[in-house]
Amino acid sequence: MFYAIVGQDVPDSLDRRLAARPAHLERLQALQQAGRLLLAGPFPAIDSNDPGSAGFSGSLIVAEFESLDAAQAWADADPYVAAGVYAGVAVKPFKKVLPA
């Protein structure tokens, strides 16, 4: 089943986010290589694809896991959590409808 993982950044997280980004992307690439990643990306803090120093307000990952517990454990181990980028992370089951 797919699960949506939504991380909410702490204020002024850009430096911590940039430092932890390589390890964060490595885990996402592993999900992609396993065919389990539906989509992933950050929420720009402003209405721009390149928010510059405004940074990001959080992230969305939608990926396939065995269970809600497995998705939560994966989210809890994210480098952004360890680096203090995220103030909190919500994990919810996700039903993909479109595109079919």
Side-chain angles (χ1 to χ4, degrees):
M1 176 167 202
F2 286 112
Y3 294 87
I5 300 169
V6 181
Q8 183 69 39
D9 282 24
V10 298
D12 301 314
S13 63
L14 186 58
D15 288 341
R16 285 178 267 185
R17 178 181 271 274
L18 292 175
R21 189 171 189 262
H24 173 77
L25 290 179
E26 186 177 319
R27 296 177 81 233
L28 291 172
Q29 289 164 346
L31 283 178
Q32 183 176 16
Q33 290 168 356
R36 296 172 42 205
L37 183 65
L38 184 62
L39 63 89
F43 300 117
I46 61 173
D47 189 13
S48 173
N49 279 329
D50 183 4
S53 63
F56 300 90
S57 64
S59 302
L60 170 64
I61 300 164
V62 180
E64 189 173 21
F65 292 93
E66 297 172 4
S67 66
L68 179 59
D69 288 341
Q72 185 68 60
W74 189 92
D76 290 344
D78 193 293
Y80 283 176
V81 172
V85 173
Y86 291 153
V89 179
V91 180
K92 298 180 178 188
F94 180 82
K95 181 179 177 183
K96 181 180 179 270
V97 176
L98 294 171

